[in-house]
Amino acid sequence: MGNRITIDPITRIEGHLRIEVEIEGGKVKDAWSSGQMFRGIELILQGRDPRDAHHFVQRSCGVCTYTHALASVRAVENAVGVTIPPNARLIRNLLHGAQFQHDHLVHFYHLHALDWVDIVSALKADPAKTAVLADTVSSASVGGAVYYKAVQQRLQTFVDSGQLGPFSNAYWGHEAYKLPPEANLMAAGHYLEALKLQARTARMHAIFGGKNPHLQSLVVGGVTCVADLTPDRIVEFLYLWKESQEFIKNVYIPDLLTVASFYKDWGAIGGATNFLAYGDLPASEKEPESLYLPGGVIMKRDVTKVGAVQQEKITESVTRSWYEEGTAKHPSKGETKPKHGEYKTDAKYSWLKAPRYEGEPCEVGPLARVLVAYGKGHAEIKSVVDSTLKKLDIPVTALFSTLGRTAARGLETIAIGDAMEGMINELITNIKNGDTKTYQAWQMPDKGMGYGLNDVARGALGHWIEIENKKIKNYQYVVPSTWNLGPRCEKGKRGPVEEALIGTPIADPKRPLEVLRTVHSFDPCIACAVHVIDPDSNEVYKIRVV
Amino acid sequence: MENEKQFFDRLEQKGVSRRDFVKYCTFLTATMGLSSSFVPKVAEVFAAPKQRPPVVWLHFGECTGCTEALLRSQYPYIDDLVLEVLSVEYHETIMAAAGHQAEEQLQSAIKKYEGKFICVVEGAVATKYDGAYGKIGGRTFLEIAKDVCPKAAAVIAIGTCASYGGVQAAAPNPGGYVGVGEALGIKTLNIPGCPPNPVNFVGTVVNYLLLGKLPDLDKLGRPLFAYGKTIHDQCPRRSHFENEEFVLEFGSQEAAMGYCLYKMGCRGPETYNNCPIAKFNDGTSWPVEAGHPCLGCSEPAFWDKMSPFYEPM
């Protein structure tokens, strides 16, 4: 048996995650992913007003803010049978697009970059050479030798103060860091620029959502921000969108390509096998036909065969999770009897359940969406993927990797950001034509069932609701990080991150930087991922899907 | 002062003029309820802190929304806050270290700065089953809180979860979650809100740096400078309330005209916070401006006491 190491806490993620790996011959031989927190929001929802659900579920996560609220109002709208007006759909899409822009940018620079970028090495860089490098690879609006000298000086002052704060005790100087000092300094500068930009990107949410995080303008039936459909508000949104999209194209993507060019070996490390996307960004009320991001299933990495998603084929297994035994069931029919216990990797070891599609683990998220869109011949996605592969001189198969996952996140941001322009124009045209309708009135039925399948920054997100006596009888959600970070199932099949970690080279088991690269490439969000249950009542939850 | 000059030079490089900065300090000073003579002193706090005060930021049962809110701070930008104003010794969302290196970092910080660091707690503490619902590095939230909080100079509970239990404490509170003050039987300074406005956190910290003490609090532990008045009393739609001009349906003509949301369920009359004045995301908007009723998110147990949210009070 190899050497076992545990990383807990995994930092630079949302929530509490523990990763354990077994190392043999300098490589990961086996891996276990464990969610370490459980809050019980679905249980809290029972008996409440269905109109309130989105406020509660939005608090699943402040990083994936908005997305759960969106999924929830869609599920309730499906249950009560209301179709929202075109303007409400456009505003929701714009907020969703802004969330992609924001979330992916922050993930790349602030949650993931330090796995590839050695901040301490940046102190050794030549600012003039850094400026030349930056001018060669990117069209950033800030730069030049003076700028990079100032960035370096700022870092030096910080280091000299002896108070390293968030940069303390990390893996600096690790042999797996491959960037030259100048590339590290460039990235450090852009890390700080992106930190500022993201605060402005998030203002798009405040314009039509009142605030960010945790927007407050969605309601079942539409949106409330009718008074904000004014030229000044729209122009403000447009300006922030443009500023964000320019940064994405001129800085984020060039940085991504520069970093990737030094880590091409990661195009053969960290891949998963099956991929699932529900799709999102509807262009009309016709779904899934009008979704800008298409849905689909890819099994065994065969992108030439993209199957249609049949949500009846989803099951959740609890054999290796802290719940009592039960066969794998559809989430809507799931029995959930919690049994919190010891952490044992040969038995039960996580609060996350193990979702499966046709019994198989599936990766969800940017890579799954990009592969599905690519396989379906989506023009914009295909174009950015092909040009990137060409620039990096790597084959399509390199997408099935940690590098591919991180690249896919950037590439879909370009496509989604670009698509937002058309949505803004459509909104303006509607208003010009006198259509300012943002809400459709509706009646709460005594009974109803509904669901919403969504695709959000971290991947496929499904919410299911059952209404009885105008109250929530049951509420369930299966979230992206449960798909990606879930444990083994009853057949012993590993979850996607567990599978992806196998074979990862580990230079120094005491400083497992390489493990963080693959784990972070999934952008884990554990507060979202953990399911509910009440250990006292051992209640059995049942919902059927309409 | 040399440092100050450097500071303003640096600000200008970033496209923030001295005038903008002073304007912000004036806003912050006013938010804190101090007289305008404090403006230069507030500016000094950002320009030249002698030793950056160490901060240990703990995450328990929460959604990281409060951290995300702080990341949206625009004056000072979060990079200044992290690199130049505070010394953030431990913060799981932003720190580079992971696993046992992160654990070591926590232990060394609380030892090195014992009695001197500010402990910021985000999230509620699970108490059921000896806290088994939430663990970090094999220790429960409760164990970590008991270890770290008593060693701090002050404990700031950021957000409604750390202050009063928050969403996971809503009935039936499956994990037995409570606020950190209740979990430990200590007094905390509370900055509730779901999430709170970062201005109120920054204002509290500046107060501490400037005057060497925490600001005055109400009986719920909230700084009076931010939570001294109701939303209703500060609401720009108040005159519509007085004139009985109400919104009765979302998206209606009345909604487009910005009428009062009282009859749509607004909890502004019962909620103490400065949202209408401070607004969110660099003053861009706030929920009522976006046409949605206030949920009362800075009040204890608001998830139970203020809901159903769309029924009038």
Side-chain angles (χ1 to χ4, degrees):
Chain A
M1 182 171 146
N3 181 19
R4 287 238 188 153
I5 57 168
T6 300
I7 314 177
D8 179 13
I10 295 282
T11 51
R12 284 180 281 128
I13 63 164
E14 199 304 319
H16 304 289
L17 176 69
R18 175 189 183 105
I19 295 284
E20 183 169 333
V21 292
E22 184 179 329
I23 300 169
E24 200 172 82
K27 285 190 170 174
V28 174
K29 190 187 165 202
D30 210 346
W32 297 266
S33 166
S34 169
Q36 291 276 304
M37 180 178 75
F38 155 114
R39 296 195 296 166
I41 291 175
E42 289 152 308
L43 182 62
I44 289 166
L45 283 171
Q46 291 183 355
R48 293 184 189 265
D49 189 326
R51 293 175 298 172
D52 289 352
H54 68 105
H55 293 298
F56 283 82
V57 297
Q58 184 164 215
R59 271 68 185 185
S60 299
C61 185
V63 180
C64 337
T65 189
Y66 179 69
T67 58
H68 285 291
L70 177 66
S72 179
V73 291
R74 283 173 171 175
V76 179
E77 282 157 3
N78 181 248
V80 305
V82 60
T83 303
I84 62 169
N87 289 335
R89 175 175 48 74
L90 287 167
I91 287 169
R92 287 181 183 184
N93 280 349
L94 285 168
L95 294 171
H96 199 176
Q99 173 66 11
F100 274 105
Q101 288 184 308
H102 183 275
D103 210 338
H104 286 354
L105 186 78
V106 168
H107 178 264
F108 180 73
Y109 284 102
H110 309 115
L111 303 180
H112 201 18
L114 299 182
D115 300 335
W116 313 96
V117 173
D118 185 338
I119 292 281
V120 174
S121 148
L123 298 174
K124 292 184 295 216
D126 177 340
K129 284 187 188 162
T130 307
V132 173
L133 170 72
D135 283 349
T136 314
V137 300
S138 79
S139 333
S141 60
V142 293
V146 174
Y147 168 81
Y148 283 108
K149 199 171 175 193
V151 170
Q152 196 177 39
Q153 185 55 49
R154 193 174 180 204
L155 290 175
Q156 190 65 55
T157 307
F158 185 72
V159 170
D160 291 345
S161 75
Q163 290 181 296
L164 273 176
F167 299 122
S168 300
N169 216 21
Y171 303 144
W172 312 130
H174 194 290
E175 64 175 79
Y177 282 119
K178 303 288 188 202
L179 297 184
E182 285 72 24
N184 284 318
L185 181 57
M186 178 179 79
H190 294 163
Y191 174 103
L192 296 171
E193 294 300 327
L195 206 44
K196 277 197 273 291
L197 177 76
Q198 59 83 27
R200 295 198 290 276
T201 304
R203 278 183 52 209
M204 280 188 274
H205 273 183
I207 291 170
F208 293 129
K211 64 189 168 97
N212 165 288
H214 295 340
L215 287 68
Q216 205 166 312
S217 67
L218 295 188
V219 283
V220 174
V223 293
T224 64
C225 54
V226 60
D228 291 308
L229 298 182
T230 56
D232 58 322
R233 280 303 212 190
I234 292 169
V235 166
E236 193 181 2
F237 189 97
L238 195 60
Y239 177 80
L240 292 163
W241 162 77
K242 192 163 171 271
E243 188 184 13
S244 303
Q245 190 65 358
E246 276 173 5
F247 190 91
I248 286 160
K249 286 184 174 171
N250 296 338
V251 187
Y252 171 16
I253 300 304
D255 281 353
L256 174 66
L257 293 174
T258 305
V259 172
S261 68
F262 287 94
Y263 291 103
K264 286 190 196 174
D265 50 331
W266 283 83
I269 299 167
T273 308
N274 310 311
F275 302 86
L276 170 71
Y278 295 151
D280 212 312
L281 300 177
S284 75
E285 69 271 23
K286 286 203 176 67
E287 295 184 34
E289 297 82 359
S290 77
L291 298 178
Y292 178 73
L293 296 172
V297 185
I298 293 170
M299 298 308 251
K300 297 193 167 52
R301 299 189 177 184
D302 185 356
V303 287
T304 64
K305 285 186 200 140
V306 182
V309 179
Q310 295 170 284
Q311 57 110 20
E312 313 79 59
K313 292 182 176 174
I314 298 166
T315 53
E316 286 197 300
S317 167
V318 294
T319 313
R320 306 298 289 276
S321 314
W322 285 314
Y323 307 105
E324 281 181 15
E325 290 312 317
T327 52
K329 293 190 170 75
H330 188 272
S332 66
K333 297 168 191 150
E335 294 181 336
T336 317
K337 302 176 180 177
K339 190 177 170 185
H340 61 94
E342 279 179 74
Y343 172 86
K344 283 186 181 164
T345 52
D346 57 353
K348 290 176 181 285
Y349 61 94
S350 182
W351 281 118
L352 272 65
K353 293 186 189 175
R356 296 291 182 262
Y357 188 85
E358 289 185 317
E360 297 295 328
C362 289
E363 172 174 348
V364 299
L367 180 57
R369 281 191 293 264
V370 165
L371 290 172
V372 165
Y374 191 83
K376 286 188 154 182
H378 188 286
E380 292 86 349
I381 298 271
K382 199 160 180 341
S383 145
V384 289
V385 170
D386 284 336
S387 68
T388 304
L389 293 173
K390 204 174 158 199
K391 269 182 207 154
L392 287 173
D393 189 24
I394 51 173
V396 174
T397 51
L399 288 170
F400 300 101
S401 68
T402 296
L403 189 68
R405 194 173 294 119
T406 297
R409 186 170 289 112
L411 298 180
E412 74 166 6
T413 316
I414 304 178
I416 294 167
D418 281 350
M420 288 169 72
E421 189 172 8
M423 300 173 195
I424 299 170
N425 286 332
E426 201 181 329
L427 183 64
I428 293 169
T429 305
N430 289 352
I431 296 168
K432 239 184 190 168
N433 294 337
D435 174 13
T436 52
K437 189 171 159 93
T438 51
Y439 177 78
Q440 175 59 51
W442 55 280
Q443 291 289 321
M444 181 73 76
D446 280 336
K447 280 185 160 191
M449 280 181 288
Y451 68 96
L453 298 182
N454 315 268
D455 232 303
V456 303
R458 287 171 180 74
L461 170 65
H463 280 225
W464 287 264
I465 186 170
E466 181 175 1
I467 298 169
E468 198 174 271
N469 299 326
K470 302 184 193 293
K471 300 270 190 269
I472 298 171
K473 187 181 179 201
N474 255 308
Y475 202 100
Q476 290 275 334
Y477 39 133
V478 181
V479 315
S481 292
T482 315
W483 282 100
N484 287 337
L485 283 299
R488 286 156 170 74
C489 60
E490 77 285 353
K491 292 179 200 151
K493 289 186 181 177
R494 296 178 187 86
V497 82
E498 296 178 329
E499 182 198 354
L501 281 168
I502 291 181
T504 303
I506 305 289
D508 176 2
K510 289 198 180 69
R511 299 175 1 126
L513 171 64
E514 301 90 338
V515 170
L516 290 186
R517 287 180 177 165
T518 294
V519 173
H520 282 151
S521 72
F522 283 92
D523 195 2
C525 185
I526 302 307
C528 288
V530 179
H531 263 263
V532 180
I533 331 315
D534 185 347
D536 286 340
S537 62
N538 278 353
E539 283 191 42
V540 177
Y541 303 144
K542 282 186 184 158
I543 42 175
R544 275 185 296 116
V545 178
V546 291
Chain B
M1 193 168 59
E2 191 49 32
N3 280 347
E4 197 172 331
K5 189 183 171 302
Q6 279 177 8
F7 175 76
F8 284 115
D9 287 350
R10 211 175 53 233
L11 272 184
E12 298 209 354
Q13 265 184 16
K14 293 178 198 162
V16 178
S17 70
R18 180 183 288 245
R19 195 167 155 269
D20 283 346
F21 182 70
V22 171
K23 206 169 101 189
Y24 170 71
C25 291
T26 307
F27 168 67
L28 191 61
T29 308
T31 305
M32 288 161 59
L34 300 172
S35 82
S36 58
S37 66
F38 277 89
V39 172
K41 290 181 181 147
V42 169
E44 206 173 296
V45 166
F46 292 108
K50 286 168 200 81
Q51 190 207 16
R52 288 176 284 126
V55 171
V56 169
W57 188 298
L58 301 175
H59 282 95
F60 295 140
E62 42 77 45
C63 74
T64 313
C66 302
T67 286
E68 287 287 332
L70 189 62
L71 289 177
R72 311 292 183 265
S73 171
Q74 280 186 270
Y75 293 98
Y77 271 118
I78 185 69
D79 59 324
D80 291 317
L81 209 53
V82 169
L83 296 180
E84 271 117 34
V85 179
L86 304 172
S87 183
V88 181
E89 297 291 321
Y90 185 87
H91 189 305
E92 286 163 21
T93 319
I94 59 172
M95 68 194 298
H100 68 268
Q101 278 91 350
E103 295 282 276
E104 267 171 31
Q105 174 60 18
L106 174 61
Q107 288 307 321
S108 85
I110 60 176
K111 202 170 159 195
K112 185 172 170 193
Y113 298 111
E114 183 160 357
K116 292 179 191 138
F117 68 90
I118 301 173
C119 181
V120 182
V121 179
E122 178 175 355
V125 179
T127 58
K128 229 172 177 179
Y129 309 110
D130 296 326
Y133 275 14
K135 289 185 182 178
I136 304 164
R139 293 198 296 168
T140 64
F141 297 160
L142 190 59
E143 285 171 317
I144 295 167
K146 279 181 180 164
D147 176 24
V148 177
C149 295
K151 298 187 176 107
V155 178
I156 298 178
I158 191 163
T160 302
C161 297
S163 300
Y164 313 122
V167 67
Q168 51 272 307
N173 193 354
Y177 278 98
V178 294
V180 66
E182 190 181 334
L184 300 184
I186 60 170
K187 273 210 155 69
T188 52
L189 183 146
N190 299 323
I191 305 181
C194 196
N197 196 322
V199 165
N200 295 335
F201 174 76
V202 174
T204 300
V205 171
V206 171
N207 196 305
Y208 179 76
L209 297 177
L210 190 67
L211 306 174
K213 60 171 191 176
L214 294 168
D216 293 334
L217 309 177
D218 70 3
K219 62 183 192 306
L220 292 166
R222 305 178 293 196
L224 283 166
F225 74 76
Y227 302 90
K229 292 179 189 161
T230 64
I231 299 267
H232 192 57
D233 283 346
Q234 303 167 89
C235 186
R237 298 188 178 196
R238 179 62 183 261
S239 60
H240 291 301
F241 175 83
E242 304 297 346
N243 293 335
E244 300 189 8
E245 293 165 345
F246 296 110
V247 176
L248 299 174
E249 184 178 301
F250 293 120
S252 62
Q253 194 59 35
E254 292 75 18
M257 290 191 291
Y259 279 9
C260 175
L261 291 161
Y262 182 80
K263 294 198 172 171
M264 301 304 285
C266 188
R267 300 301 188 247
E270 301 178 30
T271 305
Y272 289 82
N273 210 334
N274 58 357
C275 310
I277 308 299
K279 300 212 232 176
F280 292 86
N281 303 88
D282 195 24
T284 302
S285 191
W286 66 292
V288 167
E289 189 170 339
H292 194 289
C294 165
L295 303 180
C297 74
S298 51
E299 295 300 316
F302 82 95
W303 291 106
D304 291 330
K305 288 188 180 160
M306 303 290 190
S307 64
F309 296 120
Y310 298 99
E311 295 299 328
M313 278 164 46

